[in-house]
C-alpha cells in the first residue's frame, strides 16, 4: 500500500465534494432535516411521552450517522462507476485496498463532522441534554457505530462488485434491512423467535439497545458495549477479506471492466 | 528486448449467461521503442487484450508480462492509457484531474506544477484548464487524456482507439504527437484502431485480430501481402470474346477489365493474352491492396 495514492484519492474526493452540490445534500440536508423532524416530535410529546420522544430523536441521530458513513463510501464508488472514471483509477496502479481506504477515510471524516452537528442540534435545540451528561458513553457508541458502518460499507462494496453494476442501488438501500433487524426503537423480543439470533448479530443491535437503556435507566450495561465492539470489529474483519476476494474475482469474470466503463 | 510478451492467452467472458469467446490463444511480442498496432473489426478482442495488459481483466489461460515482469501495480506505474471512450469524473475541472493523477503518480508539488504547465501547452489545453470535464468536447477530452497519459513519463503507452470521434485535423495532430512521443522519448506504443490509414502511417508492426484470434502478424507490408493478392485494371478500346475473358478471371465493367492476380502471376502473361485475342489496351493500372481491402476481406469471410 502506498500512502500517497490514498492521499491523492482523498484530495480528489474533496474536490468532488466541493464541486458536486448533491454531495452536500447527501451529507447535510437529509440528516439535519430528519433530526429537526424528530426533534420537533420529541418537543411536542414532552408532556405525554418524554422518554419516547428522546428515544426516537437519539436513535435517529445514530441511525443517520451510520447510514451516512456507510452509504457515502458506496455511493462514491458508484459515482466513479457511472461516470466511467473507475477503470482509469485502477489502471493508474491504485490497488483495491488503497481505493476503499481513501473512501472510508473521507466518509468517516465528513460523517464525523455531521454527527457532531446532529448531536449539537439535539442538545441545544431539542433538550437532549442526556447526551452531554453521558458524553464519554456517547463517544463510545459513536465509535462503535462508525466501525460497524465501515464494515458494512466494505461488505456492500464487495456485494456490488460480485453482483454487477446494476446492483449499485445496494449502496443506498442495504442499510435499511440492517437497521430494521438491529431493532432501533423496539426490543429484540418483538421479533419471531427464529429471527432473534440473527438480530443479535446485526451491526447496530447492541448500540440501539444501549441507547434505549441510557434513556430509560440512565446507564449502559458494559456487556452491551463489549458485545457491540466485538460485532463491529467482526464485521470489519470479515468484510475486508470478502471485498478483496471479490475484487480479485471481478478481474476474472469481467465485472471490474463493466463497473469501470 | 520485449516490453510486452503475450503467450497463448485465452479469455472467455459471460454476457447475460451466454459465453463469449473474447480471446483465443493470442500470442505476440512488442519490442522496445516500437509502435505496434492491434487491428480488427468490432468485437475482435482488441480492448479485451488491452484490459488484460492493464490488469483490470485477468486471462483464463496463457501468460502476460510487461517489462519482463508479471503485471501489477508496479508495472502500471510505468504505463499509461489513452482511450477513445475516455471519461473522467464529470464534476472535476481539467486542472483538478491532472492534479489528481499527478499525485497518484507520486509527483511532488513542484514536479506537478512544472509538468502540468508543460503538458497543457503541448496539448493546447491551457484555455480549458478550469472547465469541468462534462463541458469539454470530444477533442478536448482526448487532449486532456493525452496530457494525463504523459504525466508519469510512461515507458509504455497503450492507445485504445485514440482518434475515435476526432476532427480530421485534430486526428492528424494526435498522430503526429504519437509519432513524436515515440521518437523523442523512445516510448513503446501499443495502438488499437479501426482506421487503416492511421495504422499504415504509424505502426512498425501490426497484428490483425478477428474473432478473438490473431489472423496475421508482422509488418504492414507482410500482412497486406499475406494473401498475395493485388488487382490489375485494364482499360480497352473494345471488349471482345467476353466468355474467354471471364474464364480467365477478368471482370468486365464497360470498357474496363479487372482481375485479381495470384502470387507469382505476372502482368505480362495477362497482357499478351489480351493482345492475342485482339483486344487493344489503352491503359494498365495495378492496385496494391490496402489494409482496408484486407479488413473488408476478413469481414466478408466472417459473414
Ligand atoms: N466485460 C465483458 N463481459 C462480457 N463480454 C465482454 C466483456 N467485454 C467484452 N466482451 C465481449 O468480448 C468480445 C470482444 O470485445 P472487445 O471489446 O475486446 O472488442 P474490440 O475489438 O475492442 O471491439 P471494438 O472495435 O468494437 O472496440 C465482444 O464480443 C464483447 O461483446
Ligand atoms: Mg474496443
Amino acid at each position: 500500500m502506498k500512502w500517497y495514492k490514498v492521499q491523492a484519492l482523498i484530495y480528489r474526493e474533496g474536490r468532488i465534494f466541493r464541486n458536486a452540490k448533491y454531495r452536500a445534500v447527501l451529507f447535510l440536508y437529509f440528516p439535519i432535516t430528519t433530526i429537526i423532524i424528530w426533534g420537533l416530535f420529541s418537543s411536542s410529546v414532552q408532556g405525554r411521552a418524554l422518554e419516547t420522544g428522546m428515544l426516537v430523536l437519539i436513535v435517529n441521530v445514530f441511525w443517520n450517522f451510520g447510514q451516512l458513513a456507510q452509504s457515502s463510501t458506496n455511493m462514491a464508488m458508484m459515482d466513479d462507476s457511472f461516470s466511467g472514471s473507475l477503470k482509469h483509477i485502477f489502471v493508474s496502479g491504485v490497488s483495491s485496498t488503497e481505493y476503499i481506504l481513501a473512501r472510508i477515510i473521507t466518509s468517516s471524516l465528513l460523517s464525523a463532522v455531521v454527527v457532531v452537528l446532529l448531536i449539537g442540534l439535539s442538545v441545544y435545540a431539542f433538550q437532549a441534554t442526556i447526551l452531554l451528561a453521558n458524553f464519554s458513553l456517547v463517544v463510545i457508541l459513536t465509535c462503535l457505530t462508525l466501525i460497524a458502518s465501515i464494515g458494512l460499507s466494505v461488505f456492500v462494496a464487495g456485494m456490488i462488485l460480485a453482483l454487477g453494476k446494476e446492483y449499485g442501488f445496494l449502496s443506498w438501500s442495504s442499510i435499511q434491512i440492517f437497521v430494521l433487524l438491529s431493532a432501533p426503537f423496539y426490543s429484540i423480543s418483538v421479533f419471531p423467535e427464529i429471527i432473534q439470533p440473527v438480530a443479535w448479530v446485526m451491526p447496530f443491535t447492541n448500540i440501539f439497545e444501549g441507547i434505549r437503556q441510557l434513556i430509560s435507566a440512565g446507564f449502559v450495561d458494559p456487556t452491551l458495549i463489549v458485545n457491540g465492539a466485538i460485532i463491529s470489529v467482526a464485521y470489519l474483519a470479515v468484510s475486508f477479506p470478502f471485498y478483496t476476494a471479490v475484487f480479485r474475482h471481478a478481474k476474472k469474470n469481467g465485472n471490474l471492466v463493466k463497473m469501470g466503463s | 528486448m520485449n516490453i510486452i510478451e503475450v503467450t497463448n492467452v485465452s479469455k472467455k467472458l459471460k454476457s447475460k449467461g451466454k459465453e463469449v469467446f473474447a480471446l483465443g490463444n493470442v500470442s505476440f511480442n512488442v519490442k522496445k521503442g516500437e509502435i505496434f498496432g492491434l487491428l480488427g473489426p468490432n468485437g475482435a478482442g482488441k480492448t479485451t487484450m488491452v484490459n488484460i495488459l492493464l490488469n483490470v481483466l485477468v486471462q483464463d489461460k496463457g501468460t502476460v508480462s510487461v517489462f519482463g515482469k508479471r503485471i501489477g501495480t508496479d508495472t502500471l506505474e510505468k504505463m499509461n492509457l489513452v482511450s477513445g471512450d475516455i471519461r473522467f469524473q464529470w464534476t472535476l475541472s481539467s486542472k483538478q484531474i491532472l492534479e489528481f493523477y499527478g499525485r497518484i503518480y507520486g509527483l511532488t508539488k513542484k514536479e506537478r506544477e512544472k509538468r502540468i504547465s508543460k503538458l497543457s501547452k503541448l496539448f493546447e489545453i491551457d484555455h480549458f484548464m478550469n472547465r469541468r470535464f462534462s463541458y469539454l468536447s470530444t477533442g478536448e477530452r482526448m487532449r486532456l487524456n493525452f496530457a494525463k497519459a504523459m504525466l508519469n513519463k510512461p515507458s509504455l503507452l497503450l492507445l485504445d482507439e485514440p482518434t475515435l470521434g476526432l476532427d480530421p485535423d485534430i486526428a492528424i495532430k494526435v498522430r503526429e504527437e504519437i509519432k513524436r512521443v515515440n521518437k523523442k522519448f523512445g516510448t513503446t506504443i501499443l495502438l488499437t484502431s479501426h482506421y487503416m490509414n492511421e495504422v499504415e502511417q504509424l505502426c512498425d508492426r501490426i497484428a490483425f485480430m478477428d474473432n478473438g484470434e490473431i489472423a496475421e502478424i508482422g509488418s504492414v507490408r507482410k500482412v497486406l501481402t499475406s494473401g498475395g493478392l493485388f488487382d490489375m485494371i485494364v482499360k480497352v478500346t473494345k471488349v471482345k470474346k467476353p466468355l474467354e475473358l471471364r474464364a480467365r478471371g477478368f471482370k468486365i465493367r464497360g470498357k474496363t477489365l479487372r482481375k485479381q492476380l495470384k502470387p507469382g502471376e505476372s502482368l505480362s502473361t495477362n497482357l499478351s493474352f489480351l493482345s492475342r485475342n485482339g483486344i487493344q489496351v489503352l491503359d494498365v493500372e495495378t492496385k496494391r491492396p490496402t489494409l482496408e481491402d484486407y479488413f473488408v476481406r476478413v469481414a466478408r469471410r466472417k459473414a
Side-chain angles (χ1 to χ4, degrees), chain B residues 14-37:
Chain B
K14 264 207 190 106
S15 166
K16 302 233 163 70
K18 267 211 314 217
E19 280 211 325
V20 186
F21 199 64
L23 292 176
N25 218 27
V26 169
S27 300
F28 65 91
N29 295 329
V30 179
K31 297 190 194 82
K32 191 171 161 64
E34 181 173 49
I35 304 186
F36 186 88

PDB file of all heavy atoms in Angstrom, chain B residues 14-37:
ATOM      1  N   LYS B  14     -18.594 -13.996 -19.865  1.00  0.00           N
ATOM      2  CA  LYS B  14     -20.032 -14.301 -19.868  1.00  0.00           C
ATOM      3  C   LYS B  14     -20.803 -13.002 -19.998  1.00  0.00           C
ATOM      4  O   LYS B  14     -20.550 -12.032 -19.308  1.00  0.00           O
ATOM      5  CB  LYS B  14     -20.414 -14.989 -18.569  1.00  0.00           C
ATOM      6  CG  LYS B  14     -20.423 -16.488 -18.704  1.00  0.00           C
ATOM      7  CD  LYS B  14     -21.389 -17.125 -17.710  1.00  0.00           C
ATOM      8  CE  LYS B  14     -21.199 -18.622 -17.685  1.00  0.00           C
ATOM      9  NZ  LYS B  14     -20.512 -19.116 -16.509  1.00  0.00           N
ATOM     10  N   SER B  15     -21.743 -13.010 -20.906  1.00  0.00           N
ATOM     11  CA  SER B  15     -22.597 -11.841 -21.046  1.00  0.00           C
ATOM     12  C   SER B  15     -24.032 -12.335 -21.105  1.00  0.00           C
ATOM     13  O   SER B  15     -24.404 -13.065 -22.016  1.00  0.00           O
ATOM     14  CB  SER B  15     -22.195 -11.095 -22.318  1.00  0.00           C
ATOM     15  OG  SER B  15     -23.169 -10.177 -22.649  1.00  0.00           O
ATOM     16  N   LYS B  16     -24.826 -11.990 -20.104  1.00  0.00           N
ATOM     17  CA  LYS B  16     -26.221 -12.446 -19.982  1.00  0.00           C
ATOM     18  C   LYS B  16     -26.310 -13.967 -20.072  1.00  0.00           C
ATOM     19  O   LYS B  16     -27.122 -14.526 -20.820  1.00  0.00           O
ATOM     20  CB  LYS B  16     -27.091 -11.818 -21.076  1.00  0.00           C
ATOM     21  CG  LYS B  16     -27.072 -10.301 -21.065  1.00  0.00           C
ATOM     22  CD  LYS B  16     -28.474  -9.719 -21.029  1.00  0.00           C
ATOM     23  CE  LYS B  16     -28.470  -8.277 -20.600  1.00  0.00           C
ATOM     24  NZ  LYS B  16     -27.880  -7.394 -21.610  1.00  0.00           N
ATOM     25  N   GLY B  17     -25.434 -14.652 -19.359  1.00  0.00           N
ATOM     26  CA  GLY B  17     -25.488 -16.113 -19.319  1.00  0.00           C
ATOM     27  C   GLY B  17     -24.835 -16.790 -20.514  1.00  0.00           C
ATOM     28  O   GLY B  17     -24.478 -17.953 -20.454  1.00  0.00           O
ATOM     29  N   LYS B  18     -24.640 -16.014 -21.612  1.00  0.00           N
ATOM     30  CA  LYS B  18     -24.012 -16.628 -22.788  1.00  0.00           C
ATOM     31  C   LYS B  18     -22.507 -16.424 -22.748  1.00  0.00           C
ATOM     32  O   LYS B  18     -22.041 -15.345 -22.407  1.00  0.00           O
ATOM     33  CB  LYS B  18     -24.570 -15.996 -24.063  1.00  0.00           C
ATOM     34  CG  LYS B  18     -25.749 -16.753 -24.638  1.00  0.00           C
ATOM     35  CD  LYS B  18     -25.838 -16.638 -26.162  1.00  0.00           C
ATOM     36  CE  LYS B  18     -25.664 -15.249 -26.703  1.00  0.00           C
ATOM     37  NZ  LYS B  18     -26.511 -14.942 -27.857  1.00  0.00           N
ATOM     38  N   GLU B  19     -21.774 -17.471 -23.116  1.00  0.00           N
ATOM     39  CA  GLU B  19     -20.321 -17.335 -23.114  1.00  0.00           C
ATOM     40  C   GLU B  19     -19.843 -16.692 -24.407  1.00  0.00           C
ATOM     41  O   GLU B  19     -20.268 -17.074 -25.497  1.00  0.00           O
ATOM     42  CB  GLU B  19     -19.676 -18.710 -22.955  1.00  0.00           C
ATOM     43  CG  GLU B  19     -19.678 -19.178 -21.526  1.00  0.00           C
ATOM     44  CD  GLU B  19     -18.490 -20.051 -21.198  1.00  0.00           C
ATOM     45  OE1 GLU B  19     -18.058 -20.822 -22.074  1.00  0.00           O
ATOM     46  OE2 GLU B  19     -18.002 -19.969 -20.055  1.00  0.00           O
ATOM     47  N   VAL B  20     -18.977 -15.690 -24.249  1.00  0.00           N
ATOM     48  CA  VAL B  20     -18.395 -15.046 -25.415  1.00  0.00           C
ATOM     49  C   VAL B  20     -16.914 -15.419 -25.446  1.00  0.00           C
ATOM     50  O   VAL B  20     -16.223 -15.313 -24.449  1.00  0.00           O
ATOM     51  CB  VAL B  20     -18.512 -13.504 -25.316  1.00  0.00           C
ATOM     52  CG1 VAL B  20     -18.039 -12.860 -26.599  1.00  0.00           C
ATOM     53  CG2 VAL B  20     -19.940 -13.110 -25.007  1.00  0.00           C
ATOM     54  N   PHE B  21     -16.471 -15.858 -26.598  1.00  0.00           N
ATOM     55  CA  PHE B  21     -15.076 -16.213 -26.758  1.00  0.00           C
ATOM     56  C   PHE B  21     -14.321 -14.937 -27.114  1.00  0.00           C
ATOM     57  O   PHE B  21     -14.256 -14.547 -28.269  1.00  0.00           O
ATOM     58  CB  PHE B  21     -14.981 -17.237 -27.883  1.00  0.00           C
ATOM     59  CG  PHE B  21     -13.721 -18.003 -27.876  1.00  0.00           C
ATOM     60  CD1 PHE B  21     -13.418 -18.846 -26.825  1.00  0.00           C
ATOM     61  CD2 PHE B  21     -12.835 -17.896 -28.932  1.00  0.00           C
ATOM     62  CE1 PHE B  21     -12.242 -19.564 -26.815  1.00  0.00           C
ATOM     63  CE2 PHE B  21     -11.659 -18.618 -28.925  1.00  0.00           C
ATOM     64  CZ  PHE B  21     -11.364 -19.464 -27.879  1.00  0.00           C
ATOM     65  N   ALA B  22     -13.779 -14.256 -26.109  1.00  0.00           N
ATOM     66  CA  ALA B  22     -13.193 -12.941 -26.366  1.00  0.00           C
ATOM     67  C   ALA B  22     -11.784 -13.037 -26.946  1.00  0.00           C
ATOM     68  O   ALA B  22     -11.416 -12.275 -27.833  1.00  0.00           O
ATOM     69  CB  ALA B  22     -13.199 -12.106 -25.101  1.00  0.00           C
ATOM     70  N   LEU B  23     -10.983 -13.955 -26.438  1.00  0.00           N
ATOM     71  CA  LEU B  23      -9.631 -14.143 -26.957  1.00  0.00           C
ATOM     72  C   LEU B  23      -9.320 -15.644 -27.022  1.00  0.00           C
ATOM     73  O   LEU B  23      -9.664 -16.384 -26.113  1.00  0.00           O
ATOM     74  CB  LEU B  23      -8.596 -13.489 -26.042  1.00  0.00           C
ATOM     75  CG  LEU B  23      -8.573 -11.959 -25.930  1.00  0.00           C
ATOM     76  CD1 LEU B  23      -7.542 -11.540 -24.889  1.00  0.00           C
ATOM     77  CD2 LEU B  23      -8.271 -11.309 -27.265  1.00  0.00           C
ATOM     78  N   GLY B  24      -8.683 -16.063 -28.110  1.00  0.00           N
ATOM     79  CA  GLY B  24      -8.323 -17.463 -28.228  1.00  0.00           C
ATOM     80  C   GLY B  24      -6.879 -17.626 -28.629  1.00  0.00           C
ATOM     81  O   GLY B  24      -6.498 -17.299 -29.736  1.00  0.00           O
ATOM     82  N   ASN B  25      -6.083 -18.083 -27.703  1.00  0.00           N
ATOM     83  CA  ASN B  25      -4.701 -18.431 -27.996  1.00  0.00           C
ATOM     84  C   ASN B  25      -3.912 -17.295 -28.667  1.00  0.00           C
ATOM     85  O   ASN B  25      -3.268 -17.492 -29.687  1.00  0.00           O
ATOM     86  CB  ASN B  25      -4.703 -19.668 -28.901  1.00  0.00           C
ATOM     87  CG  ASN B  25      -3.579 -20.590 -28.531  1.00  0.00           C
ATOM     88  OD1 ASN B  25      -3.156 -20.594 -27.376  1.00  0.00           O
ATOM     89  ND2 ASN B  25      -3.070 -21.328 -29.497  1.00  0.00           N
ATOM     90  N   VAL B  26      -3.997 -16.146 -28.073  1.00  0.00           N
ATOM     91  CA  VAL B  26      -3.324 -14.980 -28.652  1.00  0.00           C
ATOM     92  C   VAL B  26      -1.881 -14.907 -28.171  1.00  0.00           C
ATOM     93  O   VAL B  26      -1.610 -15.021 -26.975  1.00  0.00           O
ATOM     94  CB  VAL B  26      -4.066 -13.685 -28.250  1.00  0.00           C
ATOM     95  CG1 VAL B  26      -3.242 -12.452 -28.598  1.00  0.00           C
ATOM     96  CG2 VAL B  26      -5.425 -13.633 -28.942  1.00  0.00           C
ATOM     97  N   SER B  27      -0.949 -14.757 -29.101  1.00  0.00           N
ATOM     98  CA  SER B  27       0.456 -14.570 -28.749  1.00  0.00           C
ATOM     99  C   SER B  27       1.044 -13.451 -29.590  1.00  0.00           C
ATOM    100  O   SER B  27       0.822 -13.403 -30.794  1.00  0.00           O
ATOM    101  CB  SER B  27       1.271 -15.841 -29.039  1.00  0.00           C
ATOM    102  OG  SER B  27       0.783 -16.917 -28.301  1.00  0.00           O
ATOM    103  N   PHE B  28       1.760 -12.568 -28.944  1.00  0.00           N
ATOM    104  CA  PHE B  28       2.544 -11.579 -29.701  1.00  0.00           C
ATOM    105  C   PHE B  28       3.525 -10.904 -28.746  1.00  0.00           C
ATOM    106  O   PHE B  28       3.370 -10.978 -27.525  1.00  0.00           O
ATOM    107  CB  PHE B  28       1.642 -10.533 -30.380  1.00  0.00           C
ATOM    108  CG  PHE B  28       0.878  -9.646 -29.437  1.00  0.00           C
ATOM    109  CD1 PHE B  28       1.409  -8.438 -29.012  1.00  0.00           C
ATOM    110  CD2 PHE B  28      -0.377 -10.026 -28.970  1.00  0.00           C
ATOM    111  CE1 PHE B  28       0.697  -7.618 -28.151  1.00  0.00           C
ATOM    112  CE2 PHE B  28      -1.091  -9.210 -28.109  1.00  0.00           C
ATOM    113  CZ  PHE B  28      -0.548  -7.999 -27.697  1.00  0.00           C
ATOM    114  N   ASN B  29       4.539 -10.297 -29.318  1.00  0.00           N
ATOM    115  CA  ASN B  29       5.500  -9.540 -28.521  1.00  0.00           C
ATOM    116  C   ASN B  29       5.578  -8.125 -29.057  1.00  0.00           C
ATOM    117  O   ASN B  29       5.402  -7.911 -30.251  1.00  0.00           O
ATOM    118  CB  ASN B  29       6.908 -10.149 -28.641  1.00  0.00           C
ATOM    119  CG  ASN B  29       6.955 -11.538 -28.054  1.00  0.00           C
ATOM    120  OD1 ASN B  29       6.218 -11.844 -27.106  1.00  0.00           O
ATOM    121  ND2 ASN B  29       7.794 -12.376 -28.624  1.00  0.00           N
ATOM    122  N   VAL B  30       5.855  -7.186 -28.173  1.00  0.00           N
ATOM    123  CA  VAL B  30       6.113  -5.830 -28.627  1.00  0.00           C
ATOM    124  C   VAL B  30       7.505  -5.448 -28.165  1.00  0.00           C
ATOM    125  O   VAL B  30       7.827  -5.568 -26.985  1.00  0.00           O
ATOM    126  CB  VAL B  30       5.055  -4.847 -28.079  1.00  0.00           C
ATOM    127  CG1 VAL B  30       5.360  -3.430 -28.541  1.00  0.00           C
ATOM    128  CG2 VAL B  30       3.661  -5.260 -28.514  1.00  0.00           C
ATOM    129  N   LYS B  31       8.318  -4.996 -29.113  1.00  0.00           N
ATOM    130  CA  LYS B  31       9.709  -4.678 -28.790  1.00  0.00           C
ATOM    131  C   LYS B  31       9.836  -3.267 -28.251  1.00  0.00           C
ATOM    132  O   LYS B  31       8.982  -2.419 -28.485  1.00  0.00           O
ATOM    133  CB  LYS B  31      10.578  -4.809 -30.045  1.00  0.00           C
ATOM    134  CG  LYS B  31      10.623  -6.196 -30.612  1.00  0.00           C
ATOM    135  CD  LYS B  31      11.706  -6.276 -31.698  1.00  0.00           C
ATOM    136  CE  LYS B  31      11.568  -7.534 -32.523  1.00  0.00           C
ATOM    137  NZ  LYS B  31      10.567  -7.450 -33.597  1.00  0.00           N
ATOM    138  N   LYS B  32      10.933  -3.035 -27.587  1.00  0.00           N
ATOM    139  CA  LYS B  32      11.198  -1.709 -27.022  1.00  0.00           C
ATOM    140  C   LYS B  32      11.265  -0.656 -28.130  1.00  0.00           C
ATOM    141  O   LYS B  32      11.918  -0.861 -29.149  1.00  0.00           O
ATOM    142  CB  LYS B  32      12.523  -1.744 -26.268  1.00  0.00           C
ATOM    143  CG  LYS B  32      12.797  -0.532 -25.421  1.00  0.00           C
ATOM    144  CD  LYS B  32      14.036  -0.790 -24.566  1.00  0.00           C
ATOM    145  CE  LYS B  32      14.656   0.474 -24.051  1.00  0.00           C
ATOM    146  NZ  LYS B  32      13.858   1.238 -23.147  1.00  0.00           N
ATOM    147  N   GLY B  33      10.561   0.443 -27.933  1.00  0.00           N
ATOM    148  CA  GLY B  33      10.612   1.550 -28.881  1.00  0.00           C
ATOM    149  C   GLY B  33       9.742   1.397 -30.113  1.00  0.00           C
ATOM    150  O   GLY B  33       9.740   2.250 -30.991  1.00  0.00           O
ATOM    151  N   GLU B  34       8.990   0.311 -30.141  1.00  0.00           N
ATOM    152  CA  GLU B  34       8.204   0.020 -31.335  1.00  0.00           C
ATOM    153  C   GLU B  34       6.787   0.619 -31.223  1.00  0.00           C
ATOM    154  O   GLU B  34       6.282   0.809 -30.132  1.00  0.00           O
ATOM    155  CB  GLU B  34       8.112  -1.501 -31.424  1.00  0.00           C
ATOM    156  CG  GLU B  34       7.377  -2.058 -32.587  1.00  0.00           C
ATOM    157  CD  GLU B  34       7.518  -3.587 -32.647  1.00  0.00           C
ATOM    158  OE1 GLU B  34       7.313  -4.264 -31.622  1.00  0.00           O
ATOM    159  OE2 GLU B  34       7.819  -4.090 -33.716  1.00  0.00           O
ATOM    160  N   ILE B  35       6.173   0.899 -32.364  1.00  0.00           N
ATOM    161  CA  ILE B  35       4.735   1.184 -32.366  1.00  0.00           C
ATOM    162  C   ILE B  35       4.051  -0.032 -32.967  1.00  0.00           C
ATOM    163  O   ILE B  35       4.280  -0.375 -34.128  1.00  0.00           O
ATOM    164  CB  ILE B  35       4.369   2.437 -33.187  1.00  0.00           C
ATOM    165  CG1 ILE B  35       5.148   3.660 -32.678  1.00  0.00           C
ATOM    166  CG2 ILE B  35       2.871   2.703 -33.105  1.00  0.00           C
ATOM    167  CD1 ILE B  35       4.736   4.964 -33.342  1.00  0.00           C
ATOM    168  N   PHE B  36       3.263  -0.685 -32.138  1.00  0.00           N
ATOM    169  CA  PHE B  36       2.648  -1.940 -32.542  1.00  0.00           C
ATOM    170  C   PHE B  36       1.143  -1.734 -32.644  1.00  0.00           C
ATOM    171  O   PHE B  36       0.527  -1.164 -31.753  1.00  0.00           O
ATOM    172  CB  PHE B  36       2.967  -3.010 -31.491  1.00  0.00           C
ATOM    173  CG  PHE B  36       2.513  -4.391 -31.871  1.00  0.00           C
ATOM    174  CD1 PHE B  36       3.332  -5.224 -32.614  1.00  0.00           C
ATOM    175  CD2 PHE B  36       1.266  -4.853 -31.473  1.00  0.00           C
ATOM    176  CE1 PHE B  36       2.918  -6.508 -32.964  1.00  0.00           C
ATOM    177  CE2 PHE B  36       0.836  -6.129 -31.824  1.00  0.00           C
ATOM    178  CZ  PHE B  36       1.671  -6.962 -32.569  1.00  0.00           C
ATOM    179  N   GLY B  37       0.560  -2.179 -33.737  1.00  0.00           N
ATOM    180  CA  GLY B  37      -0.873  -1.962 -33.934  1.00  0.00           C
ATOM    181  C   GLY B  37      -1.690  -3.229 -33.761  1.00  0.00           C
ATOM    182  O   GLY B  37      -1.296  -4.286 -34.244  1.00  0.00           O
TER     183      GLY B  37
END
